[in-house]
Amino acid sequence: MSGTIFSILPPIIAIVMVLITKRVLLSLGTGIIAGALIVASFSPLESIKAFWTALTITFWDGGLNTYNIFIMLFVILLGVLTAFVSLSGGSRAFAEWATKRIRTRRGARLLPVFLGILIFVDDYFNALAVGQIARPVTDSHKISRAKLAYFIDSTSAPICAIAPISSWGAYLIGVIGTILAGASVVSYSALEAFLLMIPMNFYVLSTLVFVLFAALTNFDFGEMRKHERRAIEKGELFDPNKEVPGELKEEFPVHNNGRVIDLVLPIVTLVAVTFGTMMLTGYRGSMAEYGRADIWTIFEMTDVPLSLLAGGLAGVAIAFILYMTQPGKADYQKSRFILPAFISGVRAMMPAVSILVLAWALTYLIGELETGAFLSQVVESANIPTELLPAIMFILAGIMAFSTGTSWGSFGILLPIAGEIMLNAAPEMLIASLAAVLGGAVFGDHCSPISDSTIMSSTGAGSNHIDHVSTQLPYALVSAVFAAIGYVVMGLTGSLVAGLATVALLLATVIVIWMMKGRTATPAMHGNTEN
């Protein structure tokens, strides 16, 4: 049943169940069972074997699966770091310090957007680091955790997708280079092709415009409007009846002598050590693979999970040292709360780790079923006008990333296919179609409840995962519709300017309508949010 229409059933089952039941673990587990049954052609013993393999391959794949293990350890370490920073009073001190300087909700909203654009080296790193820095500030200004998760998710992956100096950029340049080399394209290099694709990535550009507009104004609609109103009117940043990964259930007294440095120094250490380790591992990998090292090969060969683990360990060590050396209490009094803080930090991150493990298991089975290959065959076999191919590639990439929960997997499958199709059918639309694949994969990733980067964003923000997915979905869909229209116009006219102008006009229309609506609204509707 691999590579057939049955291959799309497991992700569809998981996603539909998530949307209906709002229970992520149950839905993912059901999707895994369905995937195991289909992989094994419904043989009971083989299905059990497939189910067990899917769960254990996260940890052991012919050897320790260090990529996944290091990611999980980093998530847990981030919970421990948060616990020690909270225990020392650093979070409270930083919130009080930042509140005096960032005095409006607009300023608090702009902080995660600015940090999300600034920290562009990797989406995992971006999501978790930005969440740790911005959360005390957004909390103090009663900005819902769902809104923070939206800011994080809609800057991390999009900015990485257009940044050549990033883990994403290095990977994409490598894939594009292979496509161009296979087709003997010599008119431009892989880097030049990547740079040419940036203004053609309509979804990413539209998403970044919406994020900035949402930070500058009260651009809230759909489920997000409900979350923001509850935060403003009731002071509830998230639904207390729902599971929130990363939210500490404190069983220890918070130190009253907390200092800003108790939060800032551990986070700065985490960022510095992570980035430094990325450079070191990338340099070593480049020298081993190519015998040389430059900025492009370094980011291509960097070991992101190992770098995150090193940064997490360093950050926790600094947070622990700062807590133990903090004046005001004797060492024996401080020691009493070390174990409770550690346990609280680990426990806070277990929901996120559990979701990651099951999402990876489902992704493995989806790969075994060749779901991506089936979806790509549908397009290859269809008789589609070449003018519509960029828009079709965008939609297909979105469906594939949504179904599989991985944008990178969609890149790896669809970019070569799009390259082959366009080089044979319409070479002049090659770059546009590759850009459409990138944007579509990011779009599908944003909408998918089984996406690991979406899980990381909700974890970093301390938001319920399904709340994050449901509140971000309307924004993502609007950006996707605008992008698809832009690709249709560009395909029909053969003009990037026409496609880009179409997207800009649609964005401007929404912004103008919203601002006109805002002028006629009463202050109570917006909760007087800027004061």
Side-chain angles (χ1 to χ4, degrees), residues 53 98 158 190 193 196 240 242 298 314 425 431 437 495:
T53 300
L196 288 170
K242 295 181 179 179
I298 285 174
I431 300 299
V437 170
S495 169

Side-chain angles (χ1 to χ4, degrees), residues 251-493:
E251 299 172 352
F252 44 80
V254 174
H255 205 295
N256 293 324
N257 296 329
R259 303 160 297 181
V260 172
I261 196 173
D262 293 326
L263 179 139
V264 172
L265 188 56
I267 297 297
V268 169
T269 301
L270 183 150
V271 172
V273 173
T274 299
F275 187 76
T277 308
M278 287 176 69
M279 295 297 100
L280 178 61
T281 57
Y283 175 81
R284 288 179 175 176
S286 298
M287 295 303 294
E289 181 73 17
Y290 302 111
R292 61 180 176 81
D294 56 43
I295 191 65
W296 315 113
T297 59
I298 285 174
F299 272 95
E300 178 187 354
M301 301 303 296
T302 189
D303 190 335
V304 173
L306 178 61
S307 303
L308 290 173
L309 179 62
L313 288 169
V316 169
I318 293 299
F320 176 75
I321 291 170
L322 286 171
Y323 168 65
M324 291 302 297
T325 58
Q326 196 176 51
K329 287 187 178 181
D331 287 348
Y332 76 89
Q333 291 177 306
K334 296 175 184 175
S335 300
R336 292 169 49 199
F337 304 109
I338 293 175
L339 184 59
F342 180 86
I343 294 173
S344 179
V346 172
R347 189 165 56 198
M349 290 301 181
M350 288 315 296
V353 171
S354 300
I355 294 172
L356 272 177
V357 170
L358 293 186
W360 283 330
L362 182 58
T363 300
Y364 164 77
L365 290 170
I366 288 169
E368 292 292 296
L369 288 169
E370 300 179 1
T371 304
F374 167 73
L375 291 172
S376 61
Q377 287 170 8
V378 172
V379 169
E380 283 189 295
S381 61
N383 187 19
I384 301 172
T386 56
E387 294 84 358
L388 298 180
L389 280 173
I392 297 299
M393 287 296 172
F394 172 78
I395 295 169
L396 178 62
I399 294 172
M400 186 178 293
F402 180 78
S403 302
T404 61
T406 169
S407 50
W408 280 42
S410 302
F411 295 153
I413 293 171
L414 270 186
L415 283 174
I417 292 172
E420 181 182 347
I421 292 174
M422 298 313 296
L423 284 167
N424 291 320
E428 69 279 5
M429 299 298 290
L430 171 64
I431 300 299
S433 293
L434 296 180
V437 170
L438 297 191
V442 174
F443 161 59
D445 195 71
H446 274 165
C447 298
S448 178
I450 62 174
S451 162
D452 49 2
S453 57
T454 304
I455 296 166
M456 290 293 189
S457 297
S458 56
T459 301
S463 168
N464 175 266
H465 181 57
I466 299 305
D467 283 347
H468 168 45
V469 174
S470 62
T471 52
Q472 180 168 258
L473 187 61
Y475 295 87
L477 287 173
V478 172
S479 292
V481 169
F482 290 177
I485 294 171
Y487 286 124
V488 170
V489 171
M490 185 168 67
L492 293 174
T493 63

Side-chain angles (χ1 to χ4, degrees), residues 42-65:
F42 295 92
S43 167
L45 291 178
E46 290 300 314
S47 296
I48 293 172
K49 182 180 177 181
F51 180 83
W52 178 252
T53 300
L55 290 178
T56 56
I57 204 167
T58 297
F59 308 95
W60 186 268
D61 185 12
L64 281 178
N65 191 336

Side-chain angles (χ1 to χ4, degrees), residues 194-212:
F194 182 84
L195 295 176
L196 288 170
M197 288 160 61
I198 293 174
M200 300 181 187
N201 200 329
F202 296 159
Y203 175 77
V204 164
L205 297 177
S206 178
T207 295
L208 291 175
V209 169
F210 267 142
V211 168
L212 184 59

